[in-house]
Amino acid sequence: MSAFARLRYRFVRDALLPAALAFKGGRRKSRPPDPLFGPPLKSTADLRRIMARHYALARHAKGAMPVAWVTSGAPVELLRAFGFYTVYPENHSALCGARKLGPEISAEAEARGYSQDLCSYARVDLGHAFSGRTPVGSLPAPDLLFCTNNICQTVLYWFKALSREHGIPLILLDTPYLHGGRDEAPAFAYVEGQLRRAVTELERFARKDFDEKRFLQVLESSRRASQLWGGVLETLRRRPAPMTIFDAFVHLMPIVSLRGLPVCERYYEGLLAELQDRVERGVAAVPGERHRLLWDNIAIWFALGPLARLFAEHGAVPVVATYTHAWAETAHQMDLQDPFGALARTYGGIFLNRDLAHRRAFLETLAREYTVDGAVLHSARSCKPYSIGQYDLKQSLMDIPGIPSVVLEADMTDHRVWSEAQARTRLEAFFEALEGQTIRNSSGPVNA
């Protein structure tokens, strides 16, 4: 790390970026009202600003502080305690997908032999690593990789490939898969032991001692941000919903990328206050809300806008998603009196690291709490761990709570496997069935 790089970073952070972002924000024109939707969220402008700041600052972090690339489910709190600047390849890949650049950047990895059946987040990230192509200007090369396999095993091989490409160390946090009915304490003790050993590795890498006071401050900030994010999602229980899950997919970026930083807390304080105000005033995300839906799996980033319009045309409002809850469901585990045990339970106990029976119960709980009428299950072609078992879940939803559902075949970033016409046909048939169910329910039993 150099003194010059640190001075440059502070100048960009404190003087150049605030002025540049204020100028850019002042030039942005507001969109005309769309009768399909309620008024746009004011917090979106803040979201654009803080994420633009995050990626812009990243370009100047190299040399000023150690840079780590991190998986979305990794306990970033340890890295923040050592002063790392963190970049999330999954978040970057989602951004590339939303800009419809997924196949173009993936091609750089596929040309080197990576199969098109591999996770498209991994392909986009490896394609970026091999070519430098990105819509955000550039990303800083990592000094360290930090990976947790609580979301899937692919991330381990993906980060191993990055480690070879950049010639840098990789720290892995191995989280045993949790099966229902078994004692989970040994698994969490195993994860806690790795966390404590990771501290020793980070001390050696960063050449500084572990600052426990700073670590607890970061953990408290992370806990509070996760609780605020949970509060944001809970506002969607109200009728009409003040935003849709398509909005939530976009507004989850800070909890993924900026968790443990004050800016993340401030952002969700503002978003939660805005949504609570909309609830009090009865402001609907979709006027004429008619059908409330559950979404399973990652967003289809390149089709968010067209899907939002199609749903709104039918009065269908996705109000809850398993994906968005992943950063809130275990927030209650963050106990500052037992910080390492808390991290082990928080990151080792997420629903993607549990068996299908747990996921089925999780879906049913969400369906009940958010009073949904149906479910949309996104079968992501390249995310097999999340998509496996969805046809069993579809049947379970229908058999037990009587919730109809539809499966959409797609991918999170690769639009080569997406047929908009086929999806439209399938969804319109589903909405028609929901409408028929609504009419039957409102008519009441014929022979009471």
Side-chain angles (χ1 to χ4, degrees):
M1 303 303 114
S2 75
F4 173 75
R6 284 195 290 272
L7 279 173
R8 183 186 59 192
Y9 177 84
R10 288 173 188 157
F11 171 72
V12 170
R13 182 192 63 188
D14 300 335
L16 191 61
L17 262 181
L21 293 172
F23 177 73
K24 189 175 180 181
R27 288 169 58 88
R28 183 179 289 275
K29 294 180 180 177
S30 58
R31 292 182 178 177
D34 187 330
L36 277 178
F37 301 102
L41 286 163
K42 295 175 184 173
S43 296
T44 304
D46 289 336
L47 177 69
R48 289 196 193 99
R49 182 179 54 77
I50 64 173
M51 294 312 298
R53 179 180 182 274
H54 170 63
Y55 279 110
L57 266 181
R59 294 199 287 274
H60 300 277
K62 189 73 177 177
M65 60 190 70
V67 174
W69 285 14
V70 190
T71 54
S72 61
V76 69
E77 294 80 2
L78 284 181
L79 296 174
R80 300 218 189 284
F82 282 96
F84 278 81
Y85 199 98
T86 56
V87 173
Y88 286 78
E90 291 153 84
N91 188 288
H92 175 251
S93 295
L95 182 62
C96 293
R99 303 278 181 91
K100 300 186 178 178
L101 294 171
E104 190 178 320
I105 301 177
S106 291
E108 302 283 351
E110 291 163 19
R112 296 199 183 200
Y114 288 92
S115 167
Q116 196 177 326
D117 288 329
L118 180 68
C119 166
S120 67
Y121 277 178
R123 276 184 284 128
V124 169
D125 182 55
L126 291 168
H128 160 263
F130 298 146
S131 67
R133 301 180 67 174
T134 168
V136 299
S138 65
L139 293 179
D143 301 305
L144 178 76
L145 297 161
F146 193 40
C147 165
T148 304
N149 58 356
N150 54 357
I151 50 175
C152 67
Q153 292 298 317
T154 300
V155 292
L156 172 57
Y157 300 100
W158 164 9
F159 273 55
K160 278 186 173 179
L162 287 174
S163 177
R164 285 195 301 272
E165 177 68 15
H166 291 282
I168 56 173
L170 162 66
I171 295 178
L172 166 69
L173 184 70
D174 179 35
T175 52
Y177 194 73
L178 301 174
H179 297 272
R182 296 184 184 176
D183 182 8
E184 297 178 351
F188 291 142
Y190 167 65
V191 176
E192 183 178 343
Q194 293 176 76
L195 287 165
R196 293 184 183 279
R197 289 192 292 278
V199 167
T200 305
E201 291 183 64
L202 289 169
E203 283 182 322
R204 191 181 308 119
F205 184 88
R207 297 180 182 176
K208 63 192 320 185
D209 293 334
F210 179 56
D211 183 342
E212 187 170 359
K213 183 179 177 183
R214 172 66 184 143
F215 170 56
L216 292 176
Q217 289 171 344
V218 171
L219 190 59
E220 169 58 18
S221 176
S222 189
R223 183 177 67 92
R224 179 161 163 69
S226 297
Q227 289 175 336
L228 286 164
W229 174 240
V232 163
L233 297 177
E234 284 181 10
T235 64
L236 275 70
R237 294 184 185 184
R238 302 296 293 272
R239 289 177 185 263
M243 73 172 183
T244 75
I245 217 63
F246 294 130
D247 299 311
F249 283 145
V250 176
H251 287 273
L252 68 75
M253 282 192 283
I255 197 65
V256 177
S257 298
L258 305 173
R259 195 169 64 252
L261 297 176
V263 66
C264 187
E265 285 182 73
R266 290 196 297 271
Y267 177 70
Y268 287 120
E269 284 171 353
L271 178 59
L272 179 57
E274 182 179 4
L275 291 171
Q276 287 173 334
D277 176 65
R278 286 168 73 116
V279 166
E280 287 178 11
R281 294 187 294 115
V283 176
V286 175
E289 174 183 309
R290 193 159 175 80
H291 311 299
R292 295 168 62 84
L293 302 175
L294 181 154
W295 180 282
D296 183 48
N297 214 322
I298 307 171
I300 306 171
W301 294 110
F302 53 82
L304 272 189
L307 283 173
R309 290 195 68 79
L310 176 60
F311 278 59
E313 285 169 2
H314 293 270
V317 184
V319 294
V320 63
T322 51
Y323 184 57
T324 52
H325 266 74
W327 287 270
E329 65 158 328
T330 56
H332 65 280
Q333 299 278 10
M334 288 192 181
D335 176 7
L336 270 62
Q337 301 302 312
D338 176 25
F340 287 94
L343 280 185
R345 292 187 294 275
T346 298
Y347 289 98
I350 63 171
F351 75 92
L352 278 174
N353 199 41
R354 293 179 177 275
D355 61 18
L356 201 60
H358 176 90
R359 193 163 149 207
R360 174 182 169 181
F362 185 45
L363 276 174
E364 290 175 14
T365 299
L366 293 180
R368 185 176 59 254
E369 291 180 346
Y370 286 76
T371 56
V372 304
D373 310 303
V376 178
L377 311 178
H378 167 209
S379 178
R381 178 187 170 88
S382 71
C383 187
K384 296 174 183 63
Y386 210 149
S387 304
I388 196 167
Q390 279 184 315
Y391 281 93
D392 291 329
L393 293 173
K394 182 177 187 294
Q395 190 60 48
S396 297
L397 285 168
M398 192 64 202
D399 286 348
I400 300 174
I403 296 173
S405 55
V406 63
V407 176
L408 279 187
E409 305 282 348
D411 189 71
M412 50 274 199
T413 71
D414 193 340
H415 55 257
R416 289 173 293 184
V417 299
W418 167 250
S419 168
E420 184 171 346
Q422 187 181 71
R424 175 174 282 273
T425 300
R426 191 171 290 187
L427 282 170
E428 286 181 339
F430 177 61
F431 295 145
E432 189 176 326
L434 280 180
E435 188 63 25
Q437 176 178 277
T438 302
I439 292 171
R440 285 193 298 277
N441 290 344
S442 62
S443 299
V446 176
N447 298 314

